[in-house]
Amino acid sequence: MMYNWKKLSMRSAALVLGTALMLPALTANAATPYTTKDTDTFWKLSRQFNVPVKKLMAANPKVDPLNIYAGLKLVIPSNAAAMSKPAAAKEPTITAQSITTSSGQSLSFSKVMDIKATAYSDSAEENGKWGPVDYFGNPLKLGTIAVDPKVIPFGTKVFITGYDFSGLPSGGLVATATDKGGAIKGNRIDIFVPGSRSFVSGFGYQSVKVYILK
């Protein structure tokens, strides 16, 4: 059998060149190990690495989204190119006893508290037999928060700022304490966020400031 060595050499060179061209793509699509910091949440990491929250959670199925702590080992899936830093949201203007929100609304407050916040959805798994309603039977809506009534009495209107989550208004949220939960004790609040349970769980644990409005 006669071989055309010239054609074989050209084909080999093409294969080598093609493999070399594919290497950057393979590297870009490779999963990346990541060690978490105390302030990390799935949502923050999704923005940092340009990976959808659902994809990030699917790549780490054994990780509780509400229990991300410093030193935790995660896998960052493909599309992990660093994003350019998004433009910062306009922050509210705060004086001694008043807040001017990013929309221009003026709010007076009597007290400010440092609070640990979580978020919950209207899923059946999170709301039990009573369904997606607050403690008083009203449908859950943006602006509903669950509190410890001994710390923040029912009916209290508050302004919450300091969170980082796309499901909530940028710059802060005006809310009313109309719900409670078994795990919400002391300086804790649970913020209702419209959306699927998997999306809302990306909020994780965040430190926020809660202004008690007059």
Side-chain angles (χ1 to χ4, degrees):
M1 180 180 292
M2 298 289 292
Y3 290 96
N4 189 326
W5 296 106
K6 185 176 181 180
K7 286 185 177 180
L8 284 174
S9 298
M10 291 177 66
R11 186 169 182 270
S12 298
L15 287 171
V16 171
L17 179 60
T19 302
L21 291 173
M22 288 174 63
L23 281 175
L26 291 172
T27 303
N29 289 327
T32 305
Y34 177 82
T35 303
T36 60
K37 303 185 291 294
D38 189 51
T39 57
D40 281 334
T41 67
F42 273 135
W43 169 246
K44 285 185 178 180
L45 293 175
S46 76
R47 298 210 309 177
Q48 179 180 343
F49 293 105
N50 195 21
V51 179
V53 172
K54 288 185 178 180
K55 189 170 185 178
L56 189 58
M57 293 175 67
N60 300 276
K62 295 183 179 180
V63 176
D64 181 355
L66 298 181
N67 190 29
I68 295 180
Y69 49 86
L72 188 64
K73 304 297 182 182
L74 297 182
V75 173
I76 306 299
S78 58
N79 300 329
M83 295 179 64
S84 57
K85 191 173 182 180
K90 184 179 178 182
E91 292 298 319
T93 302
I94 302 170
T95 61
Q97 292 296 312
S98 69
I99 300 167
T100 302
T101 68
S102 56
S103 63
Q105 183 180 11
S106 181
L107 306 169
S108 297
F109 65 91
S110 59
K111 182 180 179 181
V112 60
M113 305 173 67
D114 291 314
I115 297 283
K116 201 74 170 178
T118 50
Y120 66 112
S121 70
D122 58 6
S123 67
E125 295 90 341
E126 292 183 90
N127 293 282
K129 64 180 181 178
W130 302 110
V133 296
D134 65 17
Y135 183 76
F136 299 95
N138 304 306
L140 297 176
K141 61 182 180 181
L142 185 63
T144 297
I145 59 169
V147 299
D148 180 345
K150 295 179 181 178
V151 178
I152 301 177
F154 281 138
T156 301
K157 288 191 176 296
V158 301
F159 181 73
I160 306 166
T161 188
Y163 54 76
D164 182 8
F165 193 62
S166 67
L168 293 172
S170 60
L173 171 71
V174 175
T176 307
T178 59
D179 206 1
K180 63 182 292 187
I184 308 304
K185 301 293 184 184
N187 280 28
R188 282 280 315 277
I189 61 170
D190 208 9
I191 305 171
F192 172 72
V193 179
S196 68
R197 187 184 185 192
S198 60
F199 169 71
V200 175
S201 65
F203 182 95
Y205 280 95
Q206 299 193 35
S207 295
V208 301
K209 287 193 178 295
V210 174
Y211 295 83
I212 307 298
L213 302 181
K214 294 181 179 179

Tab-separated table of all heavy atoms in Angstrom, residues 102-123:
chain	number	residue	atom	x	y	z
A	102	SER	N	-33.209	56.465	47.698
A	102	SER	CA	-32.711	56.716	46.345
A	102	SER	C	-33.809	57.252	45.430
A	102	SER	O	-33.529	57.889	44.423
A	102	SER	CB	-32.115	55.432	45.759
A	102	SER	OG	-33.069	54.383	45.792
A	103	SER	N	-35.083	57.003	45.803
A	103	SER	CA	-36.204	57.518	45.005
A	103	SER	C	-36.651	58.903	45.452
A	103	SER	O	-37.591	59.472	44.908
A	103	SER	CB	-37.393	56.553	45.089
A	103	SER	OG	-37.876	56.460	46.419
A	104	GLY	N	-35.998	59.436	46.508
A	104	GLY	CA	-36.328	60.776	46.988
A	104	GLY	C	-37.313	60.794	48.144
A	104	GLY	O	-37.665	61.862	48.638
A	105	GLN	N	-37.755	59.642	48.625
A	105	GLN	CA	-38.704	59.582	49.740
A	105	GLN	C	-37.984	59.901	51.050
A	105	GLN	O	-36.888	59.395	51.313
A	105	GLN	CB	-39.331	58.182	49.813
A	105	GLN	CG	-40.386	58.028	50.898
A	105	GLN	CD	-40.973	56.616	50.916
A	105	GLN	OE1	-40.456	55.710	50.261
A	105	GLN	NE2	-42.035	56.419	51.663
A	106	SER	N	-38.580	60.749	51.875
A	106	SER	CA	-37.995	61.124	53.162
A	106	SER	C	-38.649	60.317	54.280
A	106	SER	O	-39.879	60.280	54.399
A	106	SER	CB	-38.191	62.623	53.415
A	106	SER	OG	-37.605	62.992	54.642
A	107	LEU	N	-37.828	59.656	55.095
A	107	LEU	CA	-38.318	58.801	56.172
A	107	LEU	C	-37.648	59.188	57.483
A	107	LEU	O	-36.433	59.373	57.538
A	107	LEU	CB	-38.006	57.323	55.876
A	107	LEU	CG	-38.483	56.753	54.543
A	107	LEU	CD1	-37.857	55.384	54.299
A	107	LEU	CD2	-40.001	56.648	54.520
A	108	SER	N	-38.458	59.312	58.538
A	108	SER	CA	-37.917	59.585	59.866
A	108	SER	C	-37.790	58.282	60.635
A	108	SER	O	-38.665	57.419	60.547
A	108	SER	CB	-38.829	60.555	60.629
A	108	SER	OG	-38.900	61.800	59.974
A	109	PHE	N	-36.706	58.131	61.377
A	109	PHE	CA	-36.541	56.909	62.157
A	109	PHE	C	-36.160	57.242	63.590
A	109	PHE	O	-35.635	58.321	63.891
A	109	PHE	CB	-35.495	55.990	61.518
A	109	PHE	CG	-34.086	56.530	61.505
A	109	PHE	CD1	-33.215	56.254	62.547
A	109	PHE	CD2	-33.630	57.305	60.452
A	109	PHE	CE1	-31.915	56.743	62.544
A	109	PHE	CE2	-32.340	57.801	60.434
A	109	PHE	CZ	-31.474	57.528	61.487
A	110	SER	N	-36.437	56.287	64.487
A	110	SER	CA	-36.162	56.487	65.904
A	110	SER	C	-35.006	55.637	66.401
A	110	SER	O	-34.447	55.896	67.478
A	110	SER	CB	-37.412	56.152	66.736
A	110	SER	OG	-37.807	54.808	66.509
A	111	LYS	N	-34.638	54.630	65.611
A	111	LYS	CA	-33.625	53.686	66.081
A	111	LYS	C	-33.033	52.952	64.891
A	111	LYS	O	-33.704	52.753	63.878
A	111	LYS	CB	-34.292	52.681	67.052
A	111	LYS	CG	-33.371	51.655	67.681
A	111	LYS	CD	-34.179	50.743	68.609
A	111	LYS	CE	-33.316	49.682	69.255
A	111	LYS	NZ	-34.131	48.784	70.133
A	112	VAL	N	-31.762	52.556	64.998
A	112	VAL	CA	-31.136	51.747	63.955
A	112	VAL	C	-30.533	50.503	64.603
A	112	VAL	O	-29.953	50.576	65.688
A	112	VAL	CB	-30.071	52.551	63.175
A	112	VAL	CG1	-28.970	53.048	64.103
A	112	VAL	CG2	-29.474	51.724	62.060
A	113	MET	N	-30.690	49.374	63.938
A	113	MET	CA	-30.235	48.095	64.489
A	113	MET	C	-29.392	47.351	63.459
A	113	MET	O	-29.675	47.377	62.263
A	113	MET	CB	-31.437	47.212	64.876
A	113	MET	CG	-32.412	47.864	65.827
A	113	MET	SD	-33.911	46.861	66.092
A	113	MET	CE	-33.210	45.457	66.960
A	114	ASP	N	-28.344	46.687	63.950
A	114	ASP	CA	-27.571	45.772	63.116
A	114	ASP	C	-28.202	44.394	63.234
A	114	ASP	O	-28.305	43.830	64.334
A	114	ASP	CB	-26.110	45.730	63.576
A	114	ASP	CG	-25.385	47.038	63.292
A	114	ASP	OD1	-25.530	47.558	62.170
A	114	ASP	OD2	-24.689	47.541	64.200
A	115	ILE	N	-28.644	43.862	62.111
A	115	ILE	CA	-29.465	42.650	62.098
A	115	ILE	C	-28.869	41.618	61.136
A	115	ILE	O	-28.315	41.967	60.096
A	115	ILE	CB	-30.907	42.987	61.646
A	115	ILE	CG1	-31.584	43.935	62.642
A	115	ILE	CG2	-31.729	41.740	61.435
A	115	ILE	CD1	-32.069	43.285	63.904
A	116	LYS	N	-29.014	40.346	61.481
A	116	LYS	CA	-28.658	39.256	60.572
A	116	LYS	C	-29.924	38.884	59.798
A	116	LYS	O	-30.967	38.619	60.391
A	116	LYS	CB	-28.169	38.045	61.370
A	116	LYS	CG	-27.331	37.074	60.558
A	116	LYS	CD	-25.941	37.623	60.291
A	116	LYS	CE	-25.037	36.549	59.704
A	116	LYS	NZ	-23.693	37.069	59.398
A	117	ALA	N	-29.828	38.894	58.472
A	117	ALA	CA	-31.019	38.681	57.640
A	117	ALA	C	-30.895	37.428	56.785
A	117	ALA	O	-29.804	37.062	56.324
A	117	ALA	CB	-31.258	39.886	56.738
A	118	THR	N	-32.043	36.787	56.582
A	118	THR	CA	-32.191	35.706	55.613
A	118	THR	C	-33.373	36.091	54.727
A	118	THR	O	-33.994	37.134	54.915
A	118	THR	CB	-32.449	34.357	56.299
A	118	THR	OG1	-33.518	34.508	57.251
A	118	THR	CG2	-31.211	33.859	57.031
A	119	ALA	N	-33.682	35.240	53.755
A	119	ALA	CA	-34.818	35.521	52.877
A	119	ALA	C	-35.630	34.250	52.680
A	119	ALA	O	-35.097	33.142	52.762
A	119	ALA	CB	-34.321	36.058	51.531
A	120	TYR	N	-36.922	34.426	52.430
A	120	TYR	CA	-37.773	33.266	52.180
A	120	TYR	C	-38.708	33.543	51.011
A	120	TYR	O	-38.975	34.686	50.665
A	120	TYR	CB	-38.547	32.848	53.428
A	120	TYR	CG	-39.590	33.807	53.955
A	120	TYR	CD1	-40.948	33.486	53.907
A	120	TYR	CD2	-39.235	35.021	54.541
A	120	TYR	CE1	-41.914	34.342	54.414
A	120	TYR	CE2	-40.185	35.885	55.056
A	120	TYR	CZ	-41.528	35.537	54.991
A	120	TYR	OH	-42.482	36.391	55.493
A	121	SER	N	-39.193	32.449	50.400
A	121	SER	CA	-40.064	32.560	49.230
A	121	SER	C	-41.482	32.136	49.615
A	121	SER	O	-41.764	31.849	50.780
A	121	SER	CB	-39.536	31.660	48.108
A	121	SER	OG	-39.729	30.292	48.446
A	122	ASP	N	-42.366	32.057	48.613
A	122	ASP	CA	-43.736	31.611	48.894
A	122	ASP	C	-43.916	30.116	48.610
A	122	ASP	O	-45.037	29.638	48.477
A	122	ASP	CB	-44.745	32.424	48.075
A	122	ASP	CG	-44.495	32.322	46.575
A	122	ASP	OD1	-43.611	31.541	46.151
A	122	ASP	OD2	-45.181	33.024	45.810
A	123	SER	N	-42.812	29.362	48.561
A	123	SER	CA	-42.897	27.928	48.269
A	123	SER	C	-43.599	27.185	49.405
A	123	SER	O	-43.537	27.590	50.571
A	123	SER	CB	-41.502	27.340	48.074
A	123	SER	OG	-40.773	27.357	49.289
